[in-house]
Amino acid sequence: MRYVAHRCVVNLKPRAYSQSRRVLFSLFSDATRSLHPVVSQEAVQGIHTGLSLECAKAGVKRTLCLAPYTVPRTEVRLRTPADLSMDLTSVVDILERIAPPSTAASWDNVGLLVEPSGAHAVRDVLFTNDLTERVMDEAVKQGVQLIVSYHPPIFAPLRALRQSRWKERVVVRCLENRIAVYSPHTAWDVAQDGTNDWLASCFGPATTEEGGVVRTLTSPVALGELAALLKAHLGAPVRLALADRHTLHSPVARIALCAGSGASLLRDADAELLVTGEMSHHELLDATHRGSSVLLCEHAVSERGSLAGLAERVRQEAPTIGVHLARADIGPLQPV
């Protein structure tokens, strides 16, 4: 359960004084955010502070207590929102270290796609699989300064920015609200612990071949069991196209895998099982006639779950900024 911190209490207890002083200030952030930078860390003798958070959710107050910090003898410096931010260039550097743009597919459009003019401080980042208008509404409401959109919202060249097309409306709103946009897409797919590693993690230990596309399991697993593992991992239904030579009990040792739409990448893979988000009817027929069974799990479903790992990596390298997963980021297809 997450609580939103609405007040931070700093108690100063100098050894030379019997009466403590209290400093109150507002802190609007997730209670899970690191609070170490809130109080300056200079060395001092004789003064310690106990830091607690009064949190509220559904009218119920809770208190989170943190370990004592050492603070200056003569002052407590409370950091402003600007102190808790990072400049956009620094955040982009972190994203590029995690998923270098040079590793992206040659056809892709990754990196910083929308950059506000002048200096741009980032306090909060919103991660989403697709930058839809609903996600854009959420970003504006939350007041974020950067959106990390797995799929690049700008892919085909834009000849105009008009209100008649939704993607162009999104770009205009980013500019109007001074929100930067970054897309890692296929660079994150092939990164360590990126999209493809996350998708394959449910199948157990494996070695990688063919540029990371093919995973060879340390021990063969029944095809039906692999389908069940993938379904549990995604928390969503999967669909299976059986090759003529396979049954649900057939042992599988080699899995070729690509998040999203992987038919072209998996076409020539030497594997008993292909795993991807989507394939066309005829691509499925080609695969099964080549002797490979196919597991499909919907395009965005095969990708979205990896964003939590990317957000956590950014949080670890930039603990003073807030990272958020978009709640409005849902796929266009829903069961009925």
Side-chain angles (χ1 to χ4, degrees), residues 201-279:
S201 63
C202 64
F203 298 131
T207 57
T208 59
E209 304 173 32
E210 299 182 28
V213 173
V214 175
R215 316 283 172 125
T216 301
L217 303 178
T218 55
S219 299
V221 179
L223 180 55
E225 184 177 345
L226 291 174
L229 289 171
L230 182 62
K231 180 179 179 180
H233 179 53
L234 300 174
V238 298
R239 293 179 293 168
L240 173 63
L242 273 174
D244 290 340
R245 65 190 180 112
H246 285 163
T247 70
L248 291 178
H249 302 290
S250 298
V252 172
R254 291 172 62 82
I255 303 171
L257 178 146
C258 177
S261 182
S264 60
L265 187 64
L266 303 179
R267 183 179 296 118
D268 299 321
D270 178 19
E272 298 115 329
L273 176 64
L274 310 182
V275 178
T276 189
E278 62 182 356
M279 280 188 181

Side-chain angles (χ1 to χ4, degrees), residues 26-90:
S26 295
L27 181 68
F28 296 95
S29 70
D30 286 340
T32 54
R33 184 185 300 179
S34 171
L35 294 171
H36 290 250
V38 171
V39 180
S40 55
Q41 301 285 309
E42 291 86 346
V44 70
Q45 296 178 354
I47 299 180
H48 296 276
T49 176
L51 190 60
S52 66
L53 280 177
E54 289 184 8
C55 303
K57 184 178 179 66
V60 179
K61 289 188 176 181
R62 301 291 177 89
T63 299
L64 304 179
C65 296
L66 289 80
Y69 297 91
T70 299
V71 297
R73 177 185 295 275
T74 57
E75 68 168 347
V76 176
R77 183 170 63 85
L78 304 181
R79 293 193 175 187
T80 65
D83 294 319
L84 298 175
S85 67
M86 293 182 66
D87 65 272
L88 176 61
T89 302
S90 298

Side-chain angles (χ1 to χ4, degrees), residues 93-170:
D93 286 345
I94 291 172
L95 289 164
E96 290 183 344
R97 285 199 302 272
I98 295 171
S102 60
T103 64
S106 59
W107 48 262
D108 206 358
N109 189 33
V110 301
L112 185 62
L113 304 184
V114 176
E115 181 180 10
S117 61
H120 191 64
V122 175
R123 294 185 299 276
D124 290 279
V125 184
L126 186 68
F127 289 80
T128 185
N129 203 66
D130 294 286
L131 182 46
T132 62
E133 290 195 283
R134 288 183 178 180
V135 172
M136 192 69 231
D137 289 340
E138 182 179 349
V140 172
K141 184 176 181 179
Q142 287 198 17
V144 305
Q145 295 77 40
L146 171 63
I147 298 172
V148 175
S149 177
Y150 169 77
H151 287 129
I154 302 175
F155 191 78
L158 296 176
R159 299 176 65 89
L161 293 175
R162 298 179 179 176
Q163 293 300 303
S164 57
R165 297 181 180 180
W166 76 268
K167 285 191 175 181
E168 294 171 11
R169 290 197 298 270
V170 165

